Amino acid sequence: MDTTQNQEFVAMPRIGDKAPEFKAVTTQGEINFPSGYKGSWAILFSHPADFTPVCTSEFMTFASLESKFTEANCKLVGLSVDGLYSHIAWLRTIKEKIEYKGMKNVEVNFPLIEDITMEVAKKYGMMMPGESNTKAVRAVFFVDPNGIIRAIIYYPLSLGRNFDELYRALIAMQTADAFSIATPADWRPGDDVIVPPAGSCGSAKDRMEGKDDMKCYDWFFCTKKIDKDLVLKTIFKK
Ligand code: BEZ
C-alpha cells in the first residue's frame, strides 16, 4: 500500500503542536483529551490489540508503575482499536488470571479508550499501514500541562516498551522545564545537566576561563550540578 496517498493515515501531530482534542469512551467513563487533563502531564499510548501477549505484559507493567507516574503529576491514558467490552474482559482477565514476573492481581485503573472507528488513532498517527492496517502501533505521546505534545516515541508491534525509559523521559522533561536546562544522554536525577549554550563571545570566554560555576568540555558544551534532592523536591513537591 502506498501510504503517502492516504492522508487520513499519515496525518501526524508533531512535537510542539497542541495535542488534537477528542472525546472518547473509556473503561473509566468518558474523557475529553487533552482539555480534561489541564494542569497535569499525560501519557497517551496506543497498543495493537487486547488479549495479546506483548500488550498484556505492557499493561501489567504500566499499571504497576502508575502510582510513580501519579506522584510525578502524570496521568496515563491507553488506546486500542478494540471495543469497550473487549477492553473490560481483557482487563478482568489480567486481574483475575495473569501472574507475570512477580506481578499479580493487577488492576488497570487508568482509562483505556475504545476506538473501533480508529478516529483517535488516525488523528494521532497511530495507524501505520506498512506495519498493520487494523492494529495501532505502540505510540507514546507525552502531553504537558498546557496540552502541548512534548515527546513522541513509536515502537513496532513486536517490541514491548521500556517503561523505565518513559518515566526517565518524563522526569527529564519536567526537570528541563523547572531549571531551564537540558539533559544529556542517559541522564537521571543527580547527574550533571547541560546549561544553554553561550550566547555571546564574552560568555563563551568566561566559561572557558572557569568564571562560572560550570564544567566546560568546550565553550558550547558546559554542564552544572543540580542536587538530586533539589530535583526530586521540585518535581514531587515534597
Ligand atoms: C502482542 O501484543 O503480543 C502483539 C500484538 C500485535 C502483533 C504482535 C504482537
Side-chain angles (χ1 to χ4, degrees):
M1 179 180 194
D2 180 359
T3 55
T4 58
Q5 300 302 308
N6 193 337
Q7 281 307 314
E8 79 174 347
F9 277 114
V10 297
M12 215 182 246
R14 288 167 292 198
I15 291 175
D17 287 354
K18 180 109 185 83
E21 184 72 39
F22 64 83
K23 180 189 270 219
V25 170
T26 83
T27 49
Q28 301 290 326
E30 208 168 78
I31 62 166
N32 291 293
F33 191 94
S35 53
Y37 289 77
K38 219 171 168 28
S40 313
W41 283 75
I43 294 180
L44 172 66
F45 68 101
S46 54
H47 71 275
D50 298 343
F51 292 103
T52 50
V54 178
C55 300
T56 300
S57 71
E58 289 193 315
F59 263 67
M60 293 183 78
T61 308
F62 225 175
S64 301
L65 293 172
E66 189 186 5
S67 59
K68 275 181 71 169
F69 284 87
T70 304
E71 281 173 23
N73 188 31
C74 180
K75 296 181 174 157
L76 310 178
V77 182
L79 173 149
S80 81
V81 298
D82 296 290
L84 183 64
Y85 299 128
S86 165
H87 284 348
I88 293 170
W90 180 44
L91 300 188
R92 285 174 63 85
T93 301
I94 286 175
K95 179 166 160 54
E96 286 162 14
K97 299 207 179 122
I98 311 288
E99 185 171 346
Y100 173 70
K101 285 197 164 175
M103 296 178 280
K104 65 176 187 181
N105 205 22
V106 173
E107 195 153 358
V108 175
N109 292 316
F110 54 80
L112 175 50
I113 295 170
E114 81 155 356
D115 193 29
I116 307 175
T117 59
M118 303 186 194
E119 191 186 325
V120 180
K122 285 177 187 167
K123 228 178 211 184
Y124 273 79
M126 294 165 170
M127 302 305 299
M128 301 212 170
E131 180 80 336
S132 170
N133 277 320
T134 54
K135 296 176 172 65
V137 295
R138 300 180 199 282
V140 186
F141 288 84
F142 294 79
V143 178
D144 76 13
N146 297 314
I148 303 296
I149 296 172
R150 299 290 299 276
I152 306 173
I153 310 179
Y154 282 99
Y155 298 73
L157 301 184
S158 64
L159 177 59
R161 285 163 274 218
N162 181 319
F163 291 89
D164 288 336
E165 169 58 8
L166 302 188
Y167 185 71
R168 189 194 73 86
L170 172 73
I171 301 299
M173 286 185 279
Q174 292 178 337
T175 303
D177 286 356
F179 295 95
S180 302
I181 48 83
T183 50
D186 295 333
W187 178 88
R188 290 186 180 271
D191 292 349
D192 290 356
V193 298
I194 292 182
V195 294
S200 68
C201 293
S203 66
K205 184 165 173 283
D206 287 350
R207 286 180 181 200
M208 290 313 288
E209 288 171 357
K211 288 191 184 156
D212 296 321
D213 187 19
M214 297 175 202
K215 173 172 176 152
C216 287
Y217 300 87
D218 201 338
W219 68 269
F220 65 92
F221 182 8
C222 298
T223 61
K224 69 175 181 184
K225 293 210 169 307
I226 300 183
D227 196 58
K228 182 174 179 175
D229 286 346
L230 178 60
V231 170
L232 299 182
K233 221 160 82 183
T234 306
I235 303 301
F236 298 108
K237 317 243 182 297
K238 286 188 193 158

